[in-house]
Amino acid sequence: MLDLSKNQVIEIMERYQNDPQQLIAVLLDIQAASGKNCVEKQWAELASEVLKVPLSKIYDVLTFYAMFSTTPRGEFVVEICGSTPCCFTRAEELVKWFEAASGVKMGETTADGKITLIYTSCVGMCEIGPVVKIGNDVFGNLSEEKVKTLVKCCRQGNRQELLSLCQN
């Protein structure tokens, strides 16, 4: 996992012509390039300086939107829906399956840096709940075996097989 450099962050902002209206896109790109799936304090401060956006506004964005993190996360962020419909359709059981298969509890990241388990709000796929979102992909109608397969794919970085299990 390579650390992001100041020059790389500046290049990201320059791709957006240092336009403060592109703040979300800039922060998403910084997070993706970080190798840690987060926007670290030093890069938030640099973005504030270069884009001429108050640091408080940058942190408003980073803490409001669920897709951002200010602390390192795994390569694959497994978001388990914690909304009421999913809770009625075995979400607790699903959490137990993911925790057992990954070896970490909700809110934690695996030692290899591959998987972080977190809760998310409704993703609008109640008909196949409980659901899990990994990246932009939604997985539902899950069994314990499918969960084990999803975790195995994440650990191996096998995005192709992961996509073959996707519901959307």
Side-chain angles (χ1 to χ4, degrees), residues 11-66:
E11 286 174 18
I12 289 169
M13 291 184 280
E14 286 174 349
R15 281 199 305 259
Y16 294 96
Q17 290 80 41
N18 296 329
D19 182 356
Q21 297 295 316
Q22 298 298 317
L23 178 61
I24 291 176
V26 166
L27 293 173
L28 282 171
D29 284 1
I30 291 170
Q31 181 167 280
S34 74
K36 299 176 184 177
N37 210 352
C38 71
V39 178
E40 294 176 282
K41 181 181 178 187
Q42 63 187 344
W43 308 134
E45 289 172 348
L46 182 60
S48 173
E49 179 185 322
V50 172
L51 301 178
K52 310 263 187 279
V53 174
L55 188 58
S56 61
K57 179 171 170 106
I58 292 193
Y59 275 98
D60 283 347
V61 170
L62 291 174
T63 58
F64 179 79
Y65 293 104

Side-chain angles (χ1 to χ4, degrees), residues 72-142:
R73 298 184 299 183
E75 179 182 343
F76 295 91
V77 178
V78 177
E79 301 176 73
I80 299 174
C81 183
S83 67
T84 303
C86 281
C87 285
F88 282 121
T89 56
R90 307 180 350 267
E92 285 182 27
E93 189 175 23
L94 189 63
V95 167
K96 288 178 186 171
W97 293 342
F98 270 99
E99 288 178 339
S102 67
V104 295
K105 299 285 184 196
M106 292 300 292
E108 296 178 349
T109 301
T110 56
D112 62 4
K114 288 288 188 179
I115 301 167
T116 297
L117 300 179
I118 62 171
Y119 284 107
T120 191
S121 301
C122 183
V123 296
M125 301 289 283
C126 303
E127 68 277 6
I128 59 169
V131 299
V132 170
K133 192 172 160 220
I134 303 174
N136 294 322
D137 303 308
V138 177
F139 303 84
N141 297 318
L142 295 171

Side-chain angles (χ1 to χ4, degrees), residues 146-161:
K146 268 190 173 177
V147 166
K148 288 177 182 176
T149 302
L150 288 173
V151 169
K152 178 182 167 198
C153 290
C154 291
R155 283 201 187 278
Q156 295 173 344
N158 190 341
R159 293 180 191 277
Q160 206 56 33
E161 187 176 347

